């Protein structure tokens, strides 16, 4: 006989909120949010409510332009942490309340947090300073002391132009006529 399929995993017990808690008021049917950099925006009055949806899709400031983050299309919802048995996070950007949201309750990983809270990338090592004239002079003195030929061009130092040949005047200059 064929092997029996594994038992289904238990459903996550983390229902989505159907309404905002007391303290959150809608203005013209929209909820007021404040972004991490202090910009105030108006989102739809159902933002994060009534089930798993990609609630951020198409919204400012991150999910309304080309090249937006992948999590913009991930489903999530606001949840009651007392009734949630899966991973959730705290959101403090809805004006009037501290809410809790869960991507995991909707079958997604929370990539929002890692996207916003990325550790700063290490800065590249500093470039060496450009050679100074003093260092070039010290190098030339060291070469002279060692009785080695001094190079014609010292690093970091501008050299005068050499005259090669007679040039356009055939080696003689015409007198200037006033």
């Amino acid at each position: 006989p064929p092997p029996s399929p594994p038992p289904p995993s238990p459903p996550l017990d983390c229902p989505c909120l159907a309404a905002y808690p007391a303290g959150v008021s809608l203005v013209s049917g929209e909820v007021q949010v404040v972004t991490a950099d202090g910009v105030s925006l108006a989102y739809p009055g159902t933002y994060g409510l009534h089930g798993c949806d990609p609630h951020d899709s198409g919204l400012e400031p991150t999910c309304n332009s080309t090249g937006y983050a992948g999590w913009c299309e991930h489903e999530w919802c606001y949840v009651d942490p007392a009734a949630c048995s899966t991973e959730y996070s705290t959101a403090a950007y809805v004006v009037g309340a501290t809410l809790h949201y869960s991507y995991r309750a909707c079958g997604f990983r929370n990539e929002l947090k890692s996207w916003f809270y990325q550790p700063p990338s290490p800065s590249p090592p500093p470039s060496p300073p450009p050679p100074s004239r003093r260092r070039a002079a010290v190098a030339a003195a060291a070469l002279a002391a060692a009785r080695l030929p001094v190079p014609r061009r010292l690093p970091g130092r501008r050299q005068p132009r050499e005259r090669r040949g007679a040039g356009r005047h055939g080696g003689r200059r015409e007198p200037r006529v006033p």
Side-chain angles (χ1 to χ4, degrees):
S4 58
S9 57
L12 297 174
D13 188 24
C14 194
C16 298
L17 295 180
Y20 290 112
V24 176
S25 56
L26 300 181
V27 176
S28 301
E30 296 178 316
V31 64
Q32 302 301 305
V33 298
V34 177
T35 63
D37 55 355
V39 176
S40 183
L41 299 168
Y43 281 3
T46 58
Y47 178 71
L49 302 176
H50 305 293
C52 295
D53 278 315
H55 295 285
D56 291 303
S57 181
L59 295 178
E60 293 181 72
T62 307
C63 300
N64 68 332
S65 60
T66 57
Y68 56 81
W71 55 260
C72 291
E73 298 300 323
H74 292 181
E75 295 182 4
W76 65 275
C77 66
Y78 288 124
V79 298
D80 176 359
C84 190
S85 64
T86 190
E87 177 189 340
Y88 63 87
S89 300
T90 302
Y93 48 82
V94 172
V95 176
T98 297
L99 297 170
H100 306 278
Y101 63 94
S102 179
Y103 282 90
R104 183 69 65 205
C106 299
F108 287 88
R109 266 189 21 217
N110 184 356
E111 294 176 10
L112 169 75
K113 271 183 126 174
S114 62
W115 189 83
F116 271 107
Y117 303 109
Q118 294 174 5
S121 57
S123 52
S127 300
S132 67
R133 289 183 183 181
R134 178 163 167 43
R135 274 194 276 179
V138 169
L143 288 174
R147 298 181 189 257
L148 297 174
V150 176
R152 293 184 68 102
R153 187 164 198 54
L154 296 176
R157 191 157 176 212
R158 196 169 177 190
Q159 301 291 322
R161 291 184 174 205
E162 293 181 25
R163 293 185 180 216
R164 294 185 181 169
R168 64 181 174 173
H169 297 292
R172 56 187 176 13
R173 298 195 91 178
E174 298 293 323
R176 286 175 102 184
V177 179

